[in-house]
Amino acid sequence: MTIHDELIDLMSSCRDDAEYMNSNVSRTEGDPRGTCFWYMYNRIKITEEIISVYDKRWNPNILSKLDESSISEIHDRIVTVTRDMFVDIVSAIEKGTKDCLKMYPSSGIKESTLKKANRLYLRNIMLSSCEAGVITENDLGRWDDVLLIRNLAVHENSVSDRTTRLAISDIEIIMRAGRMMKGPMDTYIVLTELALKLFYDWLISMHERFNRP
């Protein structure tokens, strides 16, 4: 499967989530539980459109004539484009999580989170959600992985501050302190897919536990 095919699948999955939220969870047209997924769908669509241009430009005939250095540059461009998508999606999830918390005032998760810090941070929201039984310890660990890589991408240009290996979905990310993280070319697509699933599962769990007609 090509990078473009993976983005098409990711976009389709996000659209399905958005449509489900609109049909089964959202109460009004501007309900954040639906609009946040449509925003993320559009963000993935932008990335898919950019990659589709690359696909046409780098057809097999052209690629076969390029040297190893040129192929590496193409790899870096794809990673940059998909990394930007991942960062934007996680930021949208953080905003969406805060907005969706307002829809479930009886959960007490907002209050619990604010006891940990004077602002609502996504990691602390998920920690409070885990304490409340909304998500599992395993999912909290996966949130930690997603947020670790997001923070390194935003603040450190993806240069790791530690030496470790992360197994995420079906990929492995290698980190060495002071060096750029390494993973397959679709690393940030896989991470985006994971972040979307974690957010969707969190919101469904919140709705099942704390929805009040």
Side-chain angles (χ1 to χ4, degrees), residues 37-102:
F37 281 96
W38 284 116
Y39 171 85
M40 291 185 286
Y41 167 82
N42 288 328
R43 182 61 184 84
I44 298 167
K45 177 64 176 174
I46 291 170
T47 304
E48 181 271 326
E49 290 172 343
I50 294 170
I51 295 298
S52 70
V53 172
Y54 286 170
D55 267 1
K56 293 174 184 176
R57 181 176 178 182
W58 299 325
N59 62 65
N61 289 333
I62 292 176
L63 289 174
S64 65
K65 300 174 183 177
L66 296 178
D67 58 24
E68 186 174 334
S69 176
S70 297
I71 294 292
S72 178
E73 289 177 6
I74 291 171
H75 179 284
D76 289 345
R77 291 186 187 113
I78 291 174
V79 169
T80 296
V81 170
T82 55
R83 181 183 64 196
D84 290 348
M85 172 189 70
F86 166 69
V87 168
D88 285 353
I89 291 292
V90 175
S91 293
I93 287 173
E94 185 152 32
K95 173 67 163 58
T97 302
K98 295 174 186 177
D99 290 341
C100 292
L101 264 184
K102 300 173 185 176

Side-chain angles (χ1 to χ4, degrees), residues 115-153:
K115 289 179 181 178
K116 297 174 173 60
N118 59 3
R119 293 182 61 188
L120 291 173
Y121 295 104
L122 182 54
R123 204 280 171 183
N124 284 342
I125 291 173
M126 292 307 156
L127 178 57
S128 293
S129 296
C130 184
E131 292 168 351
V134 175
I135 66 171
T136 65
E137 289 279 356
N138 182 60
D139 278 352
L140 180 62
R142 296 199 293 172
W143 274 111
D144 284 345
D145 291 341
V146 166
L147 293 174
L148 167 64
I149 296 171
R150 189 278 301 267
N151 291 341
L152 290 175

Side-chain angles (χ1 to χ4, degrees), residues 174-186:
I174 300 172
M175 297 182 177
R176 291 187 177 90
R179 298 174 67 177
M180 190 80 71
M181 293 184 297
K182 290 186 178 181
M185 191 161 56
D186 64 346

Side-chain angles (χ1 to χ4, degrees), residues 5-24 33-45 48 89 192 196-197 200:
D5 290 338
E6 290 187 53
L7 285 167
I8 290 290
D9 286 351
L10 182 61
M11 191 166 57
S12 176
S13 176
C14 190
R15 182 179 61 240
D16 289 345
D17 291 346
E19 290 174 346
Y20 181 87
M21 290 297 169
N22 277 355
S23 299
N24 300 281
R33 294 169 291 188
T35 57
C36 61
F37 281 96
W38 284 116
Y39 171 85
M40 291 185 286
Y41 167 82
N42 288 328
R43 182 61 184 84
I44 298 167
K45 177 64 176 174
E48 181 271 326
I89 291 292
T192 301
L196 284 168
K197 183 182 187 309
Y200 177 87

